[in-house]
Amino acid sequence: MTSDTKNGRVVTGRFQPARWLRNPHAQTMLPSMPFAWRSRPPLRRETLELPDGDVTAVDWLAASDALPDSAPLLVILHGLEGSAESSYARMLLEAAYERGWKSCVLHFRDCGDYTNRLPRRYHAGETNDLRHFLNSLQGHREACGNAGPLLASGFSLGGNVLLKYLGESKNDTPLASAVAISVPLDLHICAEALDTGFSRVYRRHLLKRMKNAIRGKFDEHTAAFNWQRAMQAPTFAEFDDAVTAPLHGFAGKQDYYDRCSAKHFLRDIERPTLVINALDDPFMTPEVVPPEAALSPDVLIEVSESGGHVGFVSGGLPWRPEFYLPGRILEFLEPHAAVSGQ
């Protein structure tokens, strides 16, 4: 994949980085800095009971409760160890509200400031919780006050979950349209990319958070996996082989990555879907971008030269940056916000 692809369903993205922020690691890290997006809109927490007896959390933008029942509803899926407090989620919640849309963040199990019940967490291929939530919204539209079109956006791991769900569901989904950002379309490639160069800094940071999270749920006597191996895992691949796979019913990391990489589901998507990735994303390599033959006619992939991982800082000033993603996400979804997902 090169950046000069200009026609078809894999195209060059329009994003241009801020003149003062062209480095991919700076693009990746700046949005998470406290000063980059100071706004913390009030949220309303809702507990979502799941069919297997577990529970997760949905955070709704409180201000959007006053919008008409017919307003579009944007469901946001966060990334690895993220939550509704992640800067990309907060800025998209607010951008959707400014457009007159309702919005919420569906948390993956054991993410955010709550604890799920069952001895498990989440993974890149867990689509049942999203399916249950969307079907619940669709089945109780009048009672829930959400009768407008349903739309979705997923970031990083959340983008992988969203694309896999769309491919599995084909035409059987209440979603009218979707956007996925910085998606690890091939989990094998992405795990390897995080073992090289400066990307190992992200790997160490995220692995530390993941290990702390499982310490909060298990100990060496209650874990349904090899505790010592999990705590000593130096890479994502080894952690997934030691923890993610056995905890969620996979034979190992190879089985997990093979069955859950979103690239295998792109051909079956039947809703207008945009994928935005950057060639300099330190969480992956350009090889994750699939050929057009692997895509359904409803999938468009925009690949930018730069942007980092869920960065896409387009301008402003270092202490008051401007971001490309909220506007581009809503721009793509807008034509589908006036139609039902039926």
Side-chain angles (χ1 to χ4, degrees):
M1 168 69 197
T2 61
S3 60
D4 59 359
T5 301
K6 298 184 183 299
N7 299 302
R9 285 173 284 123
V10 180
V11 303
T12 300
R14 298 178 309 193
F15 170 74
Q16 294 295 322
R19 295 176 62 182
W20 46 269
L21 200 74
R22 297 184 179 275
N23 180 277
H25 303 296
Q27 279 277 342
T28 299
M29 292 187 285
L30 186 138
S32 64
M33 300 297 177
F35 60 83
W37 193 264
R38 295 182 174 87
S39 179
R40 295 189 176 277
L43 302 174
R44 173 175 59 82
R45 171 62 54 85
E46 181 179 282
T47 297
L48 179 66
E49 295 287 339
L50 300 170
D52 63 358
D54 209 348
V55 64
T56 191
V58 183
D59 279 353
W60 296 80
L61 185 68
S64 68
D65 289 345
L67 294 172
D69 290 357
S70 59
L73 169 58
L74 176 61
V75 177
I76 301 169
L77 302 180
H78 60 79
L80 185 72
E81 295 301 304
S83 72
E85 288 298 315
S86 299
S87 59
Y88 54 80
R90 288 185 279 120
M91 66 177 73
L92 186 55
L93 286 166
E94 293 194 322
Y97 177 70
E98 290 173 1
R99 197 162 294 217
W101 298 3
K102 298 186 177 187
S103 57
C104 66
V105 175
L106 171 64
H107 288 91
F108 297 126
R109 303 192 197 199
D110 202 36
C111 287
D113 57 348
Y114 85 100
T115 302
N116 64 315
R117 299 183 188 126
L118 298 184
R120 55 156 298 173
R121 299 195 73 225
Y122 67 101
H123 60 82
E126 177 53 83
T127 56
N128 287 330
D129 295 352
L130 173 60
R131 182 175 292 105
H132 172 69
F133 179 56
L134 293 175
N135 289 344
S136 297
L137 290 173
Q138 183 72 358
H140 303 90
R141 292 169 74 81
E142 300 296 332
C144 295
N146 299 306
L150 294 178
L151 309 162
S153 182
F155 293 86
S156 193
L157 179 142
N160 192 89
V161 171
L162 178 57
L163 294 175
K164 181 173 179 283
Y165 160 79
L166 288 167
E168 292 171 341
S169 302
K170 299 183 180 179
N171 195 45
D172 185 22
T173 173
L175 288 178
S177 184
V179 180
I181 311 297
S182 298
V183 187
L185 295 162
D186 187 316
L187 297 172
H188 292 283
I189 291 176
C190 295
E192 292 174 1
L194 285 161
D195 291 338
T196 61
F198 189 84
S199 295
R200 288 175 290 189
V201 172
Y202 308 114
R203 184 192 69 192
R204 285 195 294 270
H205 171 70
L206 289 170
L207 274 177
K208 181 179 180 180
R209 291 189 61 181
M210 293 162 72
K211 289 176 183 180
N212 285 339
I214 62 172
R215 286 190 189 98
K217 282 191 70 68
F218 308 100
D219 59 36
E220 59 184 324
H221 305 293
T222 61
F225 50 83
N226 187 313
W227 183 261
Q228 199 69 19
R229 186 181 173 212
M231 292 299 104
Q232 294 176 353
T235 67
F236 272 108
E238 293 188 51
F239 182 88
D240 285 335
D241 200 51
V243 181
T244 311
L247 202 57
H248 301 105
F250 298 100
K253 66 176 176 62
Q254 186 79 25
D255 182 43
Y256 167 40
Y257 294 166
D258 285 347
R259 290 167 56 185
C260 295
S261 293
K263 69 175 186 177
H264 301 306
F265 301 87
L266 299 175
R267 188 179 284 109
D268 297 319
I269 293 175
E270 297 184 16
R271 289 289 184 270
T273 300
L274 172 65
V275 180
I276 301 175
N277 272 31
L279 291 176
D280 66 354
D281 190 326
F283 283 56
M284 58 197 78
T285 67
E287 284 70 35
V288 301
V289 180
E292 291 193 9
L295 309 180
S296 89
D298 290 304
V299 175
L300 173 67
I301 299 183
E302 290 183 354
V303 185
S304 300
E305 282 276 4
S306 58
H309 188 74
V310 196
F312 294 88
V313 181
S314 56
L317 299 169
W319 56 92
R320 190 176 296 173
E322 296 174 356
F323 297 91
Y324 171 78
L325 290 176
R328 181 64 187 117
I329 292 169
L330 300 182
E331 177 189 41
F332 181 83
L333 296 174
E334 179 75 49
H336 313 288
V339 298
S340 71
Q342 300 301 306

